[in-house]
Amino acid sequence: MDRGEKRRGEKVSRVGGKVRNAKSRPVSNEKVRGEEKAQAESAKGEEKPRGEQRSRGEGNAREERPGGREKGRGEARGRGTWAGRGEEWERGKEAGRGEARRRGKEAGREEERQRGRWAERGEGKGRGEERQRGKEAGRSEERGRGKEAGRSPTKGREEQLAPDPGKGAEQERGKERRPKEEPSPGKRQGRGPGKGRGVDKVWAETLVKGQIEYSTGFPGGARTRRRRRGEEPCGGGARSGGPARVCPGPARVCPGPARVCPAPKSPLQGAASRTGIDPRVLQVVAALCSCPAMHPAKPAWPGIRGPRAMWALLAVLLEPWGLAAIKDFEECTWQVVLNKFERIGEEGASDRFFHQDLVDKVGQVFRELVDAPIDPSKKYLGFPYYLKINYSCEGQASEDMVRKGHLTGLKPMALVSFQSAVNFYRWKIEHLQIQMEAAPFRSKEPCSAEQMCSVSWYTPMPIKSGSLVMRVDISGNGLGPFIPPKRFYVNINGFLKKGQDNKIEFTVGDELRDLQPRYFVNVPSRPLWHTMDQSPVLILGGFPDKKSILLTDTNFKDFSLVQLSIDSCWVGSLYCPQSDFTATIYDAISTESTLFIRQNQLVYYFTGSYSMLQENTEGSEKWVRVLASECIKRLCPVYFHSKGMEYVIALTAGKNEGYFHFGTITDGDVSFEMLPRQWSVCQKIAVANCSMIWALFLVDDDAILLLVEEEVLPNKKLYHVVSYHQMTEDLKILYTIPEFIPDARGLEFLMMLGTEVYTSTSMVPRGMFFNPYNNLLFIWGNFLLQSYNKENFIYLADFPKELSIKYLANSLYGELAIVTDNEEIWYLQEGSYQMYRLFPSQSWELHISLQAMFHSSLYSSNETMVTLFYEDSELFQLVYLINDQQGRLVKRPVPVVKLLMYEQHSKHYYMERRGGHLVFASKNTCPFMRMRLHPQANQQMYSRQELYRARPPHVLEPSGFHTERSLAVYQGLVYYLLWLHSKYDKPYADSEHDPIWPWWISKKQDQDYYFYLGSNGLSAGGVHIDMNSYEKIYKLRSNYKLPERIFLDKGSSYRFTILLTARGHGFKTSHNLGVAFHPQSRIQVGVVLADPSCVEVTMKQETFTSRNLVLFRITLKDKMLCLQQGISGHYLLKTSMTVKVLGSSGNCFQNTHLGLRLQGNLMVPVLIGCPPGKRLALNTSYTIQYNYQENKHYFDCMYKDPEMPCFFFRDIFYPIFSIQDLVTGDSGKFQGSFVLKVVGGGQDANNIRDYSDEEIYRYNSPLDNTRSLIWTTRTARTTKDSAFHIMSPQNSGIEWLCLENSPCHDVVPNRWFAPEFYFKVLVSNRGVDTSTYCDYQLIFLLHIHGLPLSGKRALFIVIVSTSLFLGLVAFYIIICLLWPLMVKACNHLLWKINSLIAWDSYYSYTNTSGGFTIPSQAMFKETSRELSKVSSRGLPKASSKVAEKKFRPQPTLEESRA
């Protein structure tokens, strides 16, 4: 049972700021007559549970505690001793009796009087009624307690700051109210009942190492009640022994900044003890009072009033997204480093992206993977680097957190985005992404204490030919701790080399390890110039008297100070007026592969070594000086590339004043051309003495804007904006800038019409900037002009003319940051006219103080800004900090949204009643409460993002940790996945429109078998490869955001919906006679188009009053007027669409789990033309099917090629083409018109000869009269010049001719089969198809067999064949006639041979019977004589020799003995 319920007979009242207890006494009706409403509300509150009272802010009705006081949870923490409670008991008795006697009679009347008085005041609204009910509640016997019962002791202190109506009334009556007593110092704050919805976080001060802890509790009155301006406690009080007094004078502010008047010895501690506010918060308030407010800038800054600064801080603290929301999640962040293939698992290893060659170390691992769904005949390679992923949380060990994340199921997801190359003639334009799941890997370091001492996640770091800039987005998989996604830039650095001992060194100079303060302190900031989204390496100069640059390949996550190896020659002369010499690098520009710098009047460039971009190019060996005979006074950057090239502009001085040099960079090759070619700019605009200050290259218009200074008189200058077209040599003045700054007379902007009233301050322009997406041109100096058409300008009056702009930073998404000469930072939303000073400002000081309270490592009291730039639509600073005599360079975001929110709350605040009490609140000037987006379902169709997904192979180890072998398999699989993507550019359409389809086509049927091996631990190599883990994603789920960019083809449209939750006053009704009233929304939404002549927008509004919702359906559509056909992804028109909610600029914020962001202003770049990722392909399967249907047969070649079909010459050929979308996976029949040409051919597919233009005309044109046509068609439609036939899917039949002068005429067959020929065919729809912006150009080989022979060759073949036949017949007849004679001759010959054999046998017999006698010798001679005769008659020589040998007489016995 609650102790408050045991003391219902006692009442509780508050006197002097303390809880006073008094016994219950009878109360007359007169005394409680003014309490009826308060009693009803309090009784209602008593029926609720305590938790509900807190959540509803109705803590007035708390139950009584023993001794007449109710103990809240916050009070129990602040006052933990029984001695303190006894003291409160005694004080409560005395205070309650005295208060009841003095005020009983006037209570009812004063209540009504105070209500009316304070109702008229905006900031003290309703407070008198609440306080008066608190007074009278002390005498209520039925209630038994007052309004303030149960509040913590800090409530009394908090009331001293509140604009209390009751207190003012007492002092008008002679200060009848007793002084409030202060609690003992050191008691902690309790938690009062005056709490709104939800649970907030309040400060809890500790004495342990000066740290700040947070406890969840209901805020006390210090967050809801503050003092009026005329009431400042200047001393005394309970602690000093005297009553608290109010500063004399009506509504007077105490001298000094807005603060609580300090005690004599310790100002902040005394104020903290009296107010209950943390001393560090008071430091923030003190800082606020010493700095001007940030607001839409006016020429004169209004003064700062002290209490207003205090209320500005409280407005921030009270908001739902205030300090209490900062600690809702652990402040964890991802960490990513590169590790070489060989250094995986090493602690502290971090490598630079230097190697660009693939690693051939995974092939052996794949050869061991038997019974795996891979093709061992393929070659698998690896990438040179891994991505090592960790995360760390503030105040906790990184290794412990990583182990915790791994054990709770966290698996980082790495999304790598490849940026296409500039030279689209060499490399295909595509927006390719691959998402990889990271694999856990144990460190190689020895560990004896635990099984896993150090764990990290690894993924391959893929590289792609033609891509040097890669963005890596790390996010979680939804399990484990919440870690906000983070983006890293992992770019290839082509300015590195291997030095001695295989150490990585810079090729541009020597790295300086020591970042000395003199390089940064008191050095002005400078702009960061580079080609947008294409420069892998960024450089920054401007170091005094140092030929050094700051170089980074990670967008300043890491950086190096490099001293350049340049000659630093001095070539000043009469034609080059240089006043002095310095080693400082003034201008530094980085492009895709080349760096440019300017030192004095000299310009140098250095080309990096990028084998991924330029084949057979080693890059520069040293800095190359260009324009050596010229005096260059400035390098101007060109932020955008065009036509496959990058650009830079050099402005000259001296002898060539009035000219400029236009530089072109193509694949690292640099060339400059001096323009104009025929005359100088000064001569063309008829000016005797002029000089150029700035130059801009408009890539889409192919024009150069020049800012020209004309010296009219020695003390009078005029400035002109001049347009120069390089192709036509046309030059004209677009706009002449007024001589003086106009007087806006309190307006935010002023149209420059020439009729303005001007001030005496001269307009001095210093530069220009052009945003090609919204066609917004800015001219800046000690003013800011903007124009949408380069001729009519608007003057933005919020920027003070006393300042001068040094440089701009543009996000290209509708935001602009300005840096002045005195390092002030201003902010502007493009399309609006209100400018905000971010630094220095009241909001900035508040932000700095809060960061100091949180001990942020990104801020310091001694800091110097190095540069300011945008990265992915977020503003960043590069700042040099000095802490404890140690300097360091950090990159930090500029909290633009927070600063704007702080500014809004500091200007708009009031008091409002919530529940039964008044609370402090800030007015929300946003016209709506919430903004939601519902984009079109299939976002990939418009964003053109190609996405692949890969997961690591499953390891069979029970712990789930990967090994070097399994990660090598992961490398090879990711490589092969991207290799299949790069090879999927063949001209023939597969039956399955998917690059990965050939990978698993022969393995899918055995998928269950592989799963069985893996689930039973039988897979070879200890890994199981899941075929479903490698896929291409065609349907991404919408994330309720508009695409990063929108691509529109001819006549296509994009639709999305905006839902705005209106506020209570967001609707109005209109009554028309005879028609029922219709609710109308006060919210107004507009759409701004940068090129309304090219695109159009329609918007429909729907109102749902029951849901307090306003819905806008917006459709953006191309008008089909502004562009010609182009190759996929080439020559796109840049434009944009901006959606604005009226009154939302700088006023609407949305709090998300990723932080604050602006609402109500959406800018989306729109690219009109042929979207990347579309192609034309010959659909072989449909072509064969349709040809069989039309020709009633199909004859294929004897030797079939599955990739290339074969068609018969005598059949009419009907080609069927398909349009394939590589992004969405859609494939459909091409329905447009096209022109078909044979542009090459040959008898062998490997020996194709390309035809010349003249030959192409003769072989394909119907106007040819040289009998050279290869083919013809029945289609009568031709091009405008009748040179070629225009075909369509309805009339696409081709009849092959191969006339006598064509290359396919009279082809000699190489085999026994009919002649074959390969045609190289070009199909294009350029100029003949009006249904699309795409210029589809398809080149494919067509195999034709069965070609006929010419008449002569056919006759020759017939004659030869006949002759051969007749010869064979004659030979046969001759053989038949001579056959008997031949047989007889053969028989006789055989008889003779047999006779010889018989003689030989006889001779051998006689020889063995005995020696030769004289008669036998005579006989032998006679036989020899006969044999000679036979031999002379025709016996063959061989036979005669054999016979002679056989009949040779053997020697006798006597002869052999002799």
Side-chain angles (χ1 to χ4, degrees):
M1 184 176 183
D2 198 323
R3 283 190 283 179
E5 297 179 359
K6 299 179 181 180
R7 305 284 304 188
R8 291 192 181 275
E10 300 180 0
K11 63 180 180 179
V12 181
S13 63
R14 180 174 291 274
V15 179
K18 304 296 291 185
V19 179
R20 302 294 185 180
N21 301 326
K23 295 182 179 180
S24 301
R25 299 183 180 182
V27 182
S28 62
N29 294 334
E30 181 180 357
K31 294 179 181 179
V32 300
R33 184 168 48 191
E35 297 180 299
E36 295 176 357
K37 186 175 181 180
Q39 290 178 358
E41 293 179 357
S42 179
K44 183 178 179 179
E46 289 176 359
E47 298 175 359
K48 298 180 179 181
R50 186 172 60 183
E52 185 176 351
Q53 294 169 7
R54 292 173 183 169
S55 63
R56 296 290 182 180
E58 299 171 0
N60 308 7
R62 287 191 174 185
E63 301 291 345
E64 290 184 4
R65 299 284 183 181
R69 58 183 290 277
E70 179 187 11
K71 177 181 176 182
R73 290 172 58 189
E75 182 181 3
R77 295 169 182 164
R79 312 174 69 189
T81 62
W82 287 98
R85 299 177 184 175
E87 181 182 359
E88 289 295 311
W89 180 282
E90 297 300 330
R91 291 178 181 176
K93 290 180 180 179
E94 299 176 2
R97 296 190 188 112
E99 176 120 1
R101 283 195 294 266
R102 283 192 303 271
R103 301 178 184 176
K105 295 181 180 181
E106 298 180 359
R109 293 190 298 271
E110 283 297 318
E111 179 182 3
E112 298 296 342
R113 182 166 33 183
Q114 296 301 328
R115 285 181 182 176
R117 179 181 303 158
W118 287 99
E120 298 175 357
R121 300 194 181 185
E123 61 183 12
K125 181 181 178 181
R127 184 62 71 179
E129 177 184 356
E130 178 189 12
R131 176 55 70 78
Q132 197 66 24
R133 288 201 304 266
K135 299 175 187 177
E136 297 299 327
R139 298 190 300 271
S140 175
E141 184 176 0
E142 298 176 2
R143 292 280 304 266
R145 64 182 181 276
K147 176 181 180 293
E148 305 295 340
R151 293 192 180 182
S152 63
T154 58
K155 196 64 180 180
R157 297 194 299 268
E158 294 159 0
E159 288 179 353
Q160 294 180 7
L161 297 177
D164 195 340
K167 186 172 182 180
E170 292 169 12
Q171 295 184 6
E172 291 179 2
R173 295 195 305 270
K175 300 182 181 180
E176 296 178 353
R177 188 168 184 172
R178 294 182 59 182
K180 298 180 180 180
E181 298 180 11
E182 296 289 336
S184 59
K187 292 185 178 181
R188 302 170 70 180
Q189 295 187 54
R191 193 167 51 193
K195 168 71 179 145
R197 291 180 177 269
V199 177
D200 206 347
K201 293 185 177 180
V202 299
W203 294 99
E205 184 179 1
T206 65
L207 301 179
V208 180
K209 298 182 181 180
Q211 295 181 353
I212 300 175
E213 297 179 356
Y214 301 91
S215 60
T216 303
F218 295 93
R223 293 194 176 186
T224 57
R225 315 187 71 174
R226 289 296 182 264
R227 168 172 310 281
R228 292 183 301 165
R229 292 179 178 175
E231 300 174 359
E232 183 73 11
C234 296
R239 296 184 60 188
S240 59
R245 64 186 179 86
V246 178
C247 296
R252 185 180 69 83
V253 180
C254 293
R259 56 184 174 83
V260 179
C261 291
K265 294 183 179 180
S266 180
L268 292 179
Q269 292 296 334
S273 62
R274 286 191 300 273
T275 60
I277 303 178
D278 192 279
R280 287 159 290 195
V281 179
L282 294 180
Q283 292 177 2
V284 178
V285 177
L288 291 176
C289 303
S290 60
C291 189
M294 182 196 71
H295 52 80
K298 303 297 178 184
W301 292 90
I304 302 299
R305 307 190 68 178
R308 182 171 179 265
M310 171 77 80
W311 288 44
L313 173 63
L314 295 177
V316 177
L317 299 179
L318 282 174
E319 286 299 324
W321 47 72
L323 296 179
I326 296 179
K327 292 293 182 179
D328 285 346
F329 297 101
E330 291 181 309
E331 294 185 358
C332 300
T333 181
W334 294 107
Q335 297 175 350
V336 170
V337 295
L338 273 179
N339 280 172
K340 290 178 62 176
F341 194 91
E342 301 83 6
R343 300 182 63 186
I344 183 174
E346 296 182 9
E347 287 295 327
S350 179
D351 298 295
R352 287 173 171 168
F353 211 138
F354 164 65
H355 298 281
Q356 305 175 37
D357 298 326
L358 297 174
V359 178
D360 191 8
K361 295 183 179 181
V362 303
Q364 181 61 32
V365 180
F366 274 85
R367 282 190 288 269
E368 297 175 1
L369 298 181
V370 295
D371 281 341
I374 60 172
D375 188 357
S377 63
K378 301 295 184 180
K379 187 173 183 180
Y380 293 87
L381 299 176
F383 302 105
Y385 295 98
Y386 283 97
L387 280 176
K388 180 181 179 181
I389 305 174
N390 284 326
Y391 75 94
S392 61
C393 300
E394 184 178 359
Q396 301 186 43
S398 176
E399 295 181 357
D400 297 340
M401 298 306 301
V402 172
R403 282 197 297 267
K404 175 184 175 182
H406 171 69
L407 295 175
T408 54
L410 175 62
K411 292 183 180 179
M413 307 297 293
L415 179 65
V416 180
S417 303
F418 300 94
Q419 182 67 39
S420 297
V422 170
N423 189 358
F424 52 71
Y425 298 106
R426 180 189 295 266
W427 307 104
K428 183 175 63 173
I429 293 182
E430 58 184 357
H431 301 280
L432 179 63
Q433 293 178 328
I434 180 171
Q435 186 182 54
M436 298 172 292
E437 181 183 292
F441 186 86
R442 281 180 293 196
S443 174
K444 294 181 180 179
E445 299 298 328
C447 176
S448 58
E450 303 177 22
Q451 183 181 3
M452 46 177 184
C453 285
S454 180
V455 181
S456 300
W457 290 281
Y458 286 87
T459 66
M461 181 59 218
I463 56 178
K464 174 181 170 292
S465 297
S467 180
L468 305 181
V469 178
M470 288 159 285
R471 301 189 304 268
V472 179
D473 296 285
I474 306 297
S475 59
N477 61 341
L479 301 177
F482 172 76
I483 307 173
K486 190 174 181 179
R487 172 168 291 182
F488 299 87
Y489 279 84
V490 185
N491 304 331
I492 300 177
N493 194 336
F495 302 94
L496 299 174
K497 65 179 180 179
K498 278 190 177 182
Q500 297 179 355
D501 300 331
N502 290 330
K503 292 184 178 180
I504 303 299
E505 299 176 353
F506 284 98
T507 57
V508 295
D510 299 324
E511 183 178 4
L512 302 179
R513 301 291 180 178
D514 186 17
L515 298 180
Q516 300 180 10
R518 62 187 179 92
Y519 298 155
F520 303 96
V521 177
N522 297 326
V523 177
S525 66
R526 47 276 195 196
L528 182 64
W529 290 341
H530 58 95
T531 306
M532 291 290 184
D533 300 329
Q534 298 295 150
S535 300
V537 174
L538 305 180
I539 58 175
L540 194 66
F543 296 97
D545 297 324
K546 296 288 293 184
K547 54 179 182 180
S548 302
I549 59 174
L550 200 65
L551 187 146
T552 176
D553 53 17
T554 58
N555 280 34
F556 292 105
K557 176 181 177 291
D558 303 310
F559 40 79
S560 300
L561 185 62
V562 182
Q563 183 174 354
L564 304 182
S565 54
I566 56 178
D567 48 17
S568 300
C569 294
W570 173 257
V571 293
S573 60
L574 295 177
Y575 67 86
C576 188
Q578 291 286 332
S579 59
D580 55 359
F581 172 80
T582 179
T584 306
I585 305 298
Y586 285 107
D587 300 328
I589 303 173
S590 60
T591 63
E592 185 179 43
S593 60
T594 309
L595 306 180
F596 290 87
I597 61 170
R598 180 182 68 88
Q599 184 192 46
N600 299 312
Q601 76 283 358
L602 304 178
V603 177
Y604 300 85
Y605 77 87
F606 197 102
T607 301
S609 177
Y610 289 104
S611 60
M612 298 293 296
L613 186 66
Q614 311 159 24
E615 298 179 359
N616 301 325
T617 300
E618 297 297 332
S620 302
E621 296 182 358
K622 61 180 181 179
W623 287 92
V624 180
R625 189 198 308 173
V626 291
L627 306 176
S629 61
E630 297 290 339
C631 182
I632 305 302
K633 64 180 179 180
R634 183 187 296 276
L635 288 179
C636 296
V638 178
Y639 295 101
F640 303 94
H641 60 90
S642 175
K643 301 177 182 179
M645 296 178 288
E646 298 171 283
Y647 310 95
V648 65
I649 301 176
L651 303 182
T652 61
K655 65 176 183 179
N656 287 326
E657 186 76 53
Y659 293 90
F660 63 93
H661 293 268
F662 188 72
T664 303
I665 306 100
T666 306
D667 287 342
D669 297 330
V670 180
S671 62
F672 280 91
E673 180 184 7
M674 191 172 71
L675 299 175
R677 300 181 180 90
Q678 301 177 0
W679 24 253
S680 69
V681 176
C682 303
Q683 295 173 352
K684 186 65 176 178
I685 63 176
V687 174
N689 189 8
C690 76
S691 64
M692 284 177 287
I693 301 175
W694 199 267
L696 276 180
F697 179 52
L698 310 182
V699 294
D700 291 334
D701 300 335
D702 199 17
I704 300 174
L705 293 185
L706 303 173
L707 184 59
V708 180
E709 176 187 6
E710 175 190 357
E711 186 175 354
V712 182
L713 297 174
N715 58 350
K716 181 180 179 181
K717 297 180 179 179
L718 290 180
Y719 299 91
H720 309 281
V721 178
V722 179
S723 172
Y724 170 74
H725 288 269
Q726 184 177 358
M727 300 298 296
T728 61
E729 289 286 319
D730 183 23
L731 189 145
K732 63 178 180 179
I733 297 178
L734 297 179
Y735 182 72
T736 299
I737 299 174
E739 184 178 358
F740 299 100
I741 294 179
D743 186 4
R745 298 182 178 181
L747 300 177
E748 292 181 347
F749 66 95
L750 194 65
M751 291 291 299
M752 305 296 291
L753 302 176
T755 59
E756 302 81 22
V757 177
Y758 296 94
T759 64
S760 59
T761 304
S762 300
M763 294 186 92
V764 183
R766 301 176 63 179
M768 298 184 296
F769 181 84
F770 181 76
N771 189 341
Y773 290 102
N774 56 13
N775 296 332
L776 200 56
L777 173 65
F778 290 97
I779 303 177
W780 46 269
N782 61 343
F783 60 92
L784 189 62
L785 295 177
Q786 69 177 21
S787 172
Y788 286 97
N789 59 1
K790 310 176 192 64
E791 296 181 359
N792 301 315
F793 284 83
I794 300 174
Y795 170 68
L796 301 181
D798 279 354
F799 186 78
K801 60 181 181 295
E802 295 80 12
L803 301 178
S804 181
I805 299 175
K806 182 164 52 174
Y807 61 90
L808 304 180
N810 197 295
S811 68
L812 303 181
Y813 287 87
E815 295 180 281
L816 182 71
I818 301 169
V819 179
T820 63
D821 285 338
N822 58 350
E823 305 300 339
E824 292 188 5
I825 302 176
W826 293 70
Y827 173 78
L828 171 70
Q829 278 192 340
E830 294 179 351
S832 66
Y833 310 104
Q834 289 185 344
M835 298 184 64
Y836 299 90
R837 183 162 66 174
L838 303 181
F839 170 82
S841 65
Q842 171 186 331
S843 297
W844 181 267
E845 294 299 327
L846 171 60
H847 174 72
I848 290 292
S849 302
L850 293 177
Q851 295 301 318
M853 293 166 59
F854 292 136
H855 303 286
S856 175
S857 60
L858 299 178
Y859 295 86
S860 172
S861 59
N862 188 0
E863 60 183 34
T864 302
M865 184 173 69
V866 179
T867 187
L868 186 77
F869 60 96
Y870 272 97
E871 177 185 305
D872 299 324
S873 302
E874 187 175 1
L875 187 62
F876 283 90
Q877 272 182 313
L878 191 63
V879 185
Y880 186 77
L881 308 178
I882 298 180
N883 288 320
D884 300 329
Q885 304 300 323
Q886 297 292 329
R888 59 193 181 95
L889 199 61
V890 299
K891 171 188 172 183
R892 71 186 184 194
V894 179
V896 176
V897 184
K898 281 187 179 180
L899 296 177
L900 295 179
M901 185 192 68
Y902 294 165
E903 160 62 15
Q904 184 191 90
H905 294 164
S906 65
K907 295 190 302 182
H908 307 283
Y909 52 86
Y910 63 96
M911 305 299 296
E912 70 175 6
R913 179 174 297 279
R914 294 182 182 175
H917 57 277
L918 296 177
V919 297
F920 182 90
S922 62
K923 183 180 179 181
N924 196 332
T925 58
C926 183
F928 56 89
M929 296 178 61
R930 185 182 179 188
M931 181 177 182
R932 289 172 291 176
L933 291 174
H934 283 219
Q936 195 157 330
N938 191 0
Q939 292 278 55
Q940 285 181 286
M941 181 184 299
Y942 300 95
S943 65
R944 312 307 299 172
Q945 289 285 355
E946 294 186 69
L947 177 62
Y948 288 88
R949 182 176 296 166
R951 298 181 181 89
H954 300 286
V955 292
L956 305 183
E957 184 183 355
S959 63
F961 290 105
H962 283 252
T963 62
E964 293 183 355
R965 296 175 60 86
S966 64
L967 289 179
V969 173
Y970 197 11
Q971 285 261 16
L973 293 175
V974 173
Y975 159 78
Y976 196 73
L977 180 67
L978 295 179
W979 181 83
L980 288 174
H981 166 80
S982 63
K983 295 302 178 182
Y984 193 69
D985 196 20
K986 55 187 179 181
Y988 309 106
D990 293 330
S991 56
E992 293 289 337
H993 180 34
D994 190 352
I996 312 177
W997 173 70
W999 193 1
W1000 313 113
I1001 183 174
S1002 61
K1003 303 292 183 178
K1004 276 290 185 180
Q1005 58 184 358
D1006 301 326
Q1007 185 173 5
D1008 294 337
Y1009 169 70
Y1010 298 130
F1011 176 76
Y1012 167 79
L1013 293 178
S1015 59
N1016 289 275
L1018 302 177
S1019 298
V1023 294
H1024 166 64
I1025 300 175
D1026 185 6
M1027 290 180 281
N1028 296 327
S1029 297
Y1030 305 89
E1031 57 182 344
K1032 187 173 184 179
I1033 308 300
Y1034 292 109
K1035 293 183 179 180
L1036 284 176
R1037 291 183 297 178
S1038 174
N1039 55 359
Y1040 298 99
K1041 292 181 181 179
L1042 293 181
E1044 184 178 355
R1045 63 186 69 86
I1046 296 176
F1047 290 86
L1048 291 181
D1049 198 356
K1050 193 170 188 177
S1052 60
S1053 60
Y1054 178 77
R1055 299 177 179 85
F1056 63 99
T1057 303
I1058 297 179
L1059 292 89
L1060 297 175
T1061 303
R1063 299 190 179 276
H1065 57 279
F1067 295 95
K1068 61 182 180 179
T1069 57
S1070 60
H1071 297 274
N1072 297 326
L1073 294 178
V1075 182
F1077 73 92
H1078 297 279
Q1080 296 181 359
S1081 172
R1082 299 179 185 270
I1083 301 177
Q1084 301 181 17
V1085 176
V1087 179
V1088 180
L1089 299 177
D1091 293 284
S1093 60
C1094 300
V1095 291
E1096 60 182 359
V1097 65
T1098 58
M1099 182 167 55
K1100 296 181 180 180
Q1101 176 181 345
E1102 299 181 20
T1103 304
F1104 302 92
T1105 55
S1106 60
R1107 300 181 181 179
N1108 211 27
L1109 192 69
V1110 184
L1111 183 144
F1112 296 90
R1113 302 184 187 274
I1114 301 177
T1115 303
L1116 179 69
K1117 186 177 181 180
D1118 172 63
K1119 285 186 174 182
M1120 304 185 295
L1121 298 175
C1122 295
L1123 206 64
Q1124 301 296 326
Q1125 286 180 305
I1127 301 175
S1128 177
H1130 297 193
Y1131 306 108
L1132 301 175
L1133 175 64
K1134 299 182 182 67
T1135 183
S1136 67
M1137 171 192 63
T1138 304
V1139 180
K1140 289 181 174 290
V1141 181
L1142 185 63
S1144 64
S1145 178
N1147 297 321
C1148 297
F1149 314 97
Q1150 183 181 15
N1151 186 30
T1152 67
H1153 65 285
L1154 299 178
L1156 286 171
R1157 64 184 183 92
L1158 288 171
Q1159 288 191 114
N1161 190 3
L1162 301 173
M1163 177 183 171
V1164 182
V1166 180
L1167 300 174
I1168 302 177
C1170 182
K1174 283 192 173 184
R1175 68 173 190 142
L1176 185 69
L1178 176 65
N1179 197 319
T1180 55
S1181 58
Y1182 286 158
T1183 300
I1184 294 175
Q1185 181 180 355
Y1186 189 74
N1187 278 265
Y1188 179 82
Q1189 178 182 347
E1190 294 296 325
N1191 296 321
K1192 309 304 180 183
H1193 59 265
Y1194 171 69
F1195 299 114
D1196 203 347
C1197 294
M1198 293 298 298
Y1199 300 98
K1200 300 180 181 179
D1201 186 351
E1203 293 289 337
M1204 186 189 309
C1206 189
F1207 297 93
F1208 190 53
F1209 177 84
R1210 297 186 182 277
D1211 292 338
I1212 298 179
F1213 175 60
Y1214 298 94
I1216 304 297
F1217 300 99
S1218 296
I1219 296 296
Q1220 291 186 335
D1221 195 331
L1222 303 179
V1223 177
T1224 63
D1226 297 333
S1227 180
K1229 184 179 179 181
F1230 176 63
Q1231 299 293 343
S1233 302
F1234 59 92
V1235 173
L1236 187 145
K1237 304 176 185 177
V1238 177
V1239 296
Q1243 296 189 41
D1244 189 358
N1246 298 322
N1247 296 318
I1248 300 296
R1249 183 179 70 87
D1250 293 333
Y1251 302 146
S1252 63
D1253 293 340
E1254 180 184 357
E1255 290 176 326
I1256 292 175
Y1257 180 83
R1258 290 193 295 108
Y1259 298 158
N1260 299 274
S1261 175
L1263 300 180
D1264 176 69
N1265 54 7
T1266 62
R1267 298 190 60 80
S1268 302
L1269 285 178
I1270 295 178
W1271 62 278
T1272 186
T1273 181
R1274 299 178 183 177
T1275 303
R1277 184 185 174 191
T1278 60
T1279 56
K1280 294 181 180 180
D1281 56 357
S1282 301
F1284 301 100
H1285 291 283
I1286 298 178
M1287 309 182 70
S1288 64
Q1290 293 76 23
N1291 299 297
S1292 61
I1294 292 176
E1295 182 180 353
W1296 302 106
L1297 298 178
C1298 290
L1299 299 182
E1300 53 266 27
N1301 293 326
S1302 64
C1304 59
H1305 178 75
D1306 195 17
V1307 177
V1308 179
N1310 295 327
R1311 302 169 184 172
W1312 295 103
F1313 306 105
E1316 298 179 351
F1317 203 85
Y1318 292 87
F1319 292 108
K1320 188 176 182 180
V1321 181
L1322 169 65
V1323 176
S1324 175
N1325 68 333
R1326 183 174 182 84
V1328 297
D1329 184 14
T1330 60
S1331 63
T1332 179
Y1333 285 134
C1334 292
D1335 177 12
Y1336 295 120
Q1337 292 187 5
L1338 172 64
I1339 297 178
F1340 63 96
L1341 293 181
L1342 186 62
H1343 189 189
I1344 301 297
H1345 72 104
L1347 273 72
L1349 300 174
S1350 64
K1352 294 181 180 179
R1353 188 174 298 276
L1355 179 61
F1356 173 76
I1357 292 176
V1358 169
I1359 294 175
V1360 171
S1361 301
T1362 305
S1363 301
L1364 182 60
F1365 176 75
L1366 294 178
L1368 292 174
V1369 172
F1371 179 75
Y1372 175 76
I1373 294 173
I1374 294 174
I1375 292 298
C1376 292
L1377 294 176
L1378 297 179
W1379 181 251
L1381 298 177
M1382 293 175 63
V1383 172
K1384 185 178 179 180
C1386 289
N1387 292 334
H1388 182 73
L1389 180 61
L1390 291 176
W1391 179 82
K1392 290 294 184 181
I1393 293 174
N1394 292 333
S1395 298
L1396 292 176
I1397 294 174
W1399 279 107
D1400 182 62
S1401 299
Y1402 174 79
Y1403 174 77
S1404 299
Y1405 174 78
T1406 58
N1407 187 27
T1408 56
S1409 63
F1412 285 105
T1413 61
I1414 296 176
S1416 65
Q1417 293 180 356
M1419 187 181 296
F1420 173 75
K1421 293 179 180 179
E1422 185 68 22
T1423 305
S1424 299
R1425 194 179 297 112
E1426 292 294 333
L1427 288 175
S1428 61
K1429 292 179 181 180
V1430 173
S1431 175
S1432 61
R1433 287 197 300 265
L1435 185 69
K1437 294 182 179 181
S1439 301
S1440 63
K1441 290 181 180 180
V1442 171
E1444 184 178 359
K1445 181 179 180 181
K1446 290 182 178 180
F1447 285 95
R1448 181 177 300 172
Q1450 297 294 331
T1452 61
L1453 182 61
E1454 291 79 5
E1455 292 177 351
S1456 63
R1457 288 178 180 178

